[in-house]
Amino acid sequence: MYQEWMEKLKPKPEFDLQWYHNEDLYSEGDVEDQIISLIAKNNPEEYEDAVINHYSWSTYYHLNLLRKNILNWYPFKQDANVLEIGCGMGAITNLLCDKCKSVTAVELSKKRATAALFRCRERENLKIIVGNLNDLEFEEKFDYITLIGVLEYQGKYTNSDNPFRDFLVKIKGLLKPGGKLLIAIENQYGLKYWCGAKEDHVGLPFEGINQYYMTGGDARTFSKSALEGLVKESGFEKCFFYYPMPDYKLPTVVYSQEYLPSNENMHDVRFYYAPDDSTVMIQEEKVYKDIIENHVFEFFANSFLVECADTSDVGEVTFAVMSSERQQKYRIGTKFTRDGKVIKFPLIKEKGEQHIMQIKKNGEALKARKINVWVDSLEDGKLVSEFCNMSTWEQQCIEFYKKRNYEKIYSLFDKLYAEILKSSDQAEPKDNILFDLEVCSSDNPLKYGPILKVGFLDMILRNAFLDGEAVYWFDQEWILENIPAGFVLFRAIKYLYNSFPELNNILNIKELSAHFQLEEVWQDYCTMDELFANTVLDEKHILASSGFRYKGAKICLQNLKKLLV
C-alpha cells in the first residue's frame, strides 16, 4: 500500500533508509496504518473530518493541531537548519519547515517516518532519516535540535551506563557554536500524576512518584531539579524552563520561569486524560489555586520545555498563549518577550493576518470615541505593543471580591457599563440584531436597553488595565453591529464567573445580574453568545476534543468508590 501512495503522492522530501535495520522497535499496532492512510488521503494538516470519522486516542493525538503549540511561538531564526529527533508522524515537522531554512528529521520507526513523509509531502526543505540517532553520522551541524517526547526513552535506545546523559552529550556535539537544544518531556512529579493519572510511558499510576520501582526506569521522566542537573552534566551551561499547560503534548498556554501563572484560571486551560481517566481520583484544576499561592507551580507543572545553550542567550520569549480552537482565519497567538514586547501573531500566516489587522482597526475605532487604548503598532503582519506592568481590571476586581467590598465591586461594574455605553452611538431598539437572528421575539424591544451601533464584545475585565480611575483597553478582537449594550456587559460578567466560579460564594452572579436588570434577558443573551461562539470556533476540533476532556468531580468519585469496594 505504501508504495502505491508513494507513486501517487510523489513526496518531495528526501527519504533516507540507509540507517534502517529492517525492524520497527515500537508501534501502536494497526492504527498506525490507518493514520498513514488518512494522511495520504487528505490535504496536509486538514484532518478534522478524518479524526471524527475514525475516532480513537491515537488518531486524535497524532493528527491534532494543538501539537504545534509547543513551538509555534518560538523565535527560530529563518535561515537556520534544524535537526528534529523523533519526528513521529510529523505533527511538528511541517511547522519547523515553515519557520526554518532546512529541516532534518530522524525517526526510528519506518512506519511513522512514512507518515511524516506523506504529511510533509510538499516540503522541499526537508530530509527524513529512518534510524537510531546513536547510529547516525552527520556531515553538518545544526542551529537547533529538538527532542519532543524523546529523551525519556533513552534507557531503551541508548546503550550506556548513563544513557540519558550520554544521549545529550552526543546531541550537544551536533550543535553549531551558539546552537540550541529544545527538550520537551513530562515532569516526574506533575500534578496529574499526584491526582492518579497513569504515568504516560509505563501506564501505571504513581509509578514516577514511586521512583519507577515496578518498571525499572528504562523509560522515565525527571523532576525539574534532576532535569536541570542532567542538562548541565551533559555540557550545556545555560537552560531556561518553560511550563506548557496542560502539558507539552496538547498545550494552549506556555508559562516560563520568568512568567508564572498568577491565579488558577491559567487562561482557561482545558485538562484532558488519555487514553483513559480510570485511575484519576483528585480534581486537578481544584488544586492549582493552592499550588500557585504557595509558589510551588514549577515543581508540580505537568511537563517541561527546556531551552539549552552554551554561549547564546535563552528565554527570549517568556510567555505564550494560543487561540487554536478557532476557525483557521481567527487562530492567533500572543507572546511576551524579555525585552518588554507583547506580540500578537497569526498561527496560520496566510489566513490569520486579516484578523490581526481587524484587531488594530477595532482599537483605532475606540480611540476615535475618546476611549483609552493601550498603544500598539502593526509590524510585518503582527500586532506589537509594550508590556504593561499595571494590574488588569480583572485582577483588581477579584481583590475586592476577596475583601467582600461589595460597594466597590458594584462600582467597578457601573464604571464598566459606562465605558461600554461610551464606545458607540446608539441604534433604534427595533434594529436589535437579536431580532434579525431570531434569537428572541421583537414584541418588547425596550427590555434590552440601549442598542449599540457597534458593540465591542471584548470589553471584559481581563482586557483592560486600570490605573486609578483611568482605563486602558487592549485585545479588542470582536465587534457586532446593533447589539445591546447589556449583552456586552453580560459577556463581561459571565466570563469573570466562568473563569472564577468561587466568586459565586461571595456575590452570586444572579445578584449582580439583577443590579443591571439582566435577569429577564439573560437566557436570550446566553443563546446569542453561543451563536456567536459557533461562528468563531472550529466545531470539528471542539467535537473531537470532547471525548478526551477531563470529567472532573464525577469521574473522581467513581474511581474513589472502586477503592472502597
Side-chain angles (χ1 to χ4, degrees):
M1 177 191 293
Y2 296 160
Q3 187 57 40
E4 293 178 10
W5 284 118
M6 284 282 193
E7 295 172 0
K8 182 177 180 179
L9 298 175
K10 295 181 173 56
K12 296 177 182 179
E14 181 181 348
F15 197 57
D16 186 345
L17 292 170
Q18 65 173 309
W19 304 98
Y20 181 56
H21 298 310
N22 298 313
E23 181 183 14
D24 286 359
L25 299 180
Y26 55 84
S27 171
E28 294 179 53
D30 293 342
V31 70
E32 293 192 354
D33 294 312
Q34 183 186 69
I35 293 172
I36 292 173
S37 178
L38 295 175
I39 289 173
K41 291 177 181 178
N42 290 274
N43 292 328
E45 307 307 335
E46 295 182 5
Y47 307 125
E48 290 89 347
D49 288 330
V51 171
I52 292 171
N53 295 329
H54 302 83
Y55 200 57
S56 69
W57 167 247
S58 293
T59 55
Y60 174 77
Y61 172 68
H62 286 293
L63 302 180
N64 199 307
L65 60 91
L66 297 181
R67 296 282 304 280
K68 296 182 181 182
N69 286 350
I70 190 62
L71 290 177
N72 59 11
W73 50 271
Y74 185 81
F76 290 100
K77 296 178 181 178
Q78 291 184 344
D79 61 348
N81 64 337
V82 182
L83 175 62
E84 182 187 16
I85 301 175
C87 69
M89 294 191 169
I92 302 169
T93 311
N94 265 319
L95 173 74
L96 296 175
C97 290
D98 278 337
K99 287 183 168 288
C100 299
K101 183 177 180 179
S102 67
V103 178
T104 301
V106 176
E107 173 53 47
L108 188 58
S109 160
K110 181 183 177 183
K111 188 175 287 189
R112 294 192 178 191
T114 302
L117 177 67
F118 293 166
R119 190 170 188 166
C120 305
R121 54 186 177 266
E122 299 299 325
R123 302 295 183 173
E124 297 181 347
N125 61 337
L126 172 63
K127 177 180 181 179
I128 299 175
I129 302 174
V130 185
N132 188 328
L133 180 86
N134 292 302
D135 299 332
L136 270 56
E137 298 176 4
F138 294 92
E139 295 180 358
E140 62 177 329
K141 294 195 175 185
F142 299 90
D143 296 291
Y144 301 96
I145 298 177
T146 67
L147 284 181
I148 311 297
V150 173
L151 177 61
E152 54 266 45
Y153 292 106
Q154 293 318 303
K156 293 182 179 180
Y157 301 114
T158 297
N159 185 16
S160 164
D161 292 336
N162 195 336
F164 302 98
R165 180 201 63 193
D166 292 347
F167 184 66
L168 292 180
V169 169
K170 178 176 177 63
I171 288 171
K172 187 175 184 298
L174 297 174
L175 281 170
K176 294 178 182 177
K180 295 179 179 180
L181 169 65
L182 299 168
I183 303 172
I185 186 172
E186 288 87 356
N187 177 9
Q188 181 179 354
Y189 297 105
L191 181 58
K192 67 178 182 181
Y193 294 144
W194 295 96
C195 293
K198 296 177 182 177
E199 206 276 350
D200 287 68
H201 312 93
V202 299
L204 295 176
F206 305 109
E207 177 66 354
I209 296 170
N210 201 27
Q211 308 304 307
Y212 296 95
Y213 176 76
M214 300 293 292
T215 57
D218 282 346
R220 61 155 302 157
T221 57
F222 304 90
S223 67
K224 179 190 175 183
S225 176
L227 184 57
E228 183 175 10
L230 182 63
V231 167
K232 292 188 174 180
E233 185 183 357
S234 64
F236 291 94
E237 294 185 7
K238 301 178 181 179
C239 61
F240 188 88
F241 274 76
Y242 292 98
Y243 307 100
M245 290 296 294
D247 61 16
Y248 83 83
K249 293 178 179 177
L250 303 176
T252 57
V253 58
V254 180
Y255 292 98
S256 79
Q257 64 187 56
E258 291 191 4
Y259 193 94
L260 297 172
S262 59
N263 58 59
E264 69 277 16
N265 175 263
M266 294 185 288
H267 291 265
D268 299 312
V269 167
R270 292 179 173 89
F271 299 96
Y272 73 95
Y273 288 95
D276 65 69
D277 51 11
S278 61
T279 58
V280 177
M281 292 173 287
I282 297 172
Q283 297 181 71
E284 181 179 345
E285 75 279 11
K286 299 293 186 183
V287 187
Y288 280 108
K289 185 175 188 296
D290 281 343
I291 282 177
I292 292 168
E293 289 179 354
N294 284 281
H295 309 291
V296 289
F297 174 81
E298 294 179 275
F299 179 82
F300 286 103
N302 282 330
S303 59
F304 309 121
L305 172 67
V306 191
E307 184 183 25
C308 314
D310 274 346
T311 57
S312 54
D313 289 334
V314 291
E316 177 182 335
V317 174
T318 59
F319 170 79
V321 59
M322 279 64 65
S323 300
S324 306
E325 295 185 336
R326 302 173 178 178
Q327 295 181 32
Q328 291 186 358
K329 61 183 176 180
Y330 299 132
R331 291 177 193 162
I332 63 173
T334 303
K335 60 184 178 182
F336 298 171
T337 65
R338 175 172 278 168
D339 62 356
K341 302 295 184 183
V342 178
I343 302 172
K344 285 196 163 307
F345 59 98
L347 295 183
I348 304 175
K349 184 176 181 181
E350 63 275 14
K351 296 184 178 181
E353 287 189 349
Q354 187 63 40
H355 187 56
I356 294 291
M357 292 177 64
Q358 185 62 53
I359 298 172
K360 177 64 174 174
K361 290 178 181 178
N362 293 344
E364 295 298 327
L366 283 175
K367 288 180 186 177
R369 299 288 302 180
K370 308 299 183 185
I371 291 178
N372 296 326
V373 176
W374 196 248
V375 177
D376 53 29
S377 60
L378 278 172
E379 300 178 15
D380 190 29
K382 305 178 182 69
L383 200 59
V384 181
S385 62
E386 296 293 328
F387 181 81
C388 180
N389 287 315
M390 288 187 286
S391 298
T392 65
W393 202 341
E394 179 181 85
Q395 289 170 328
Q396 293 193 34
C397 186
I398 289 174
E399 288 304 311
F400 289 122
Y401 272 89
K402 291 179 179 178
K403 296 174 182 177
R404 286 174 163 73
N405 189 335
Y406 300 105
E407 180 180 353
K408 192 64 177 178
I409 294 170
Y410 282 116
S411 174
L412 285 178
F413 278 102
D414 287 337
K415 184 178 180 66
L416 171 61
Y417 191 49
E419 287 276 307
I420 293 170
L421 290 173
K422 184 180 175 183
S423 68
S424 172
D425 292 329
Q426 294 184 19
E428 294 294 326
K430 63 180 178 60
D431 296 330
N432 188 341
I433 193 176
L434 275 68
F435 304 153
D436 293 338
L437 297 176
E438 299 182 348
V439 170
C440 55
S441 168
S442 59
D443 292 343
N444 184 10
L446 295 179
K447 74 177 182 180
Y448 296 94
I451 308 300
L452 304 177
K453 287 187 175 180
V454 179
F456 294 84
L457 304 189
D458 283 323
M459 295 184 80
I460 62 176
L461 298 178
R462 182 169 297 179
N463 289 348
F465 301 119
L466 195 59
D467 184 18
E469 292 299 312
V471 178
Y472 297 87
W473 293 99
F474 60 92
D475 281 2
Q476 296 302 300
E477 289 193 61
W478 311 106
I479 57 172
L480 280 177
E481 296 180 352
N482 298 330
I483 193 76
F487 176 72
V488 181
L489 179 63
F490 152 85
R491 290 188 84 245
I493 294 172
K494 181 184 175 185
Y495 197 99
L496 178 68
Y497 277 78
N498 282 353
S499 298
F500 302 96
E502 70 276 8
L503 297 182
N504 274 295
N505 299 326
I506 301 170
L507 176 62
N508 192 279
I509 192 172
K510 291 183 179 180
E511 296 180 50
L512 191 57
S513 63
H515 176 77
F516 292 100
Q517 300 178 340
L518 295 175
E519 319 102 300
E520 187 178 357
V521 296
W522 190 269
Q523 189 53 53
D524 292 342
Y525 288 166
C526 286
T527 302
M528 180 64 203
D529 201 35
E530 182 178 356
L531 183 64
F532 169 72
N534 289 339
T535 67
V536 172
L537 297 176
D538 183 338
E539 294 183 24
K540 293 176 181 177
H541 174 75
I542 299 297
L543 177 62
S545 300
S546 63
F548 299 104
R549 287 277 160 81
Y550 177 42
K551 302 178 185 67
K554 182 178 179 181
I555 191 65
C556 292
L557 182 60
Q558 291 175 358
N559 294 337
L560 283 168
K561 286 180 178 179
K562 296 175 189 176
L563 296 178
L564 302 176
V565 174

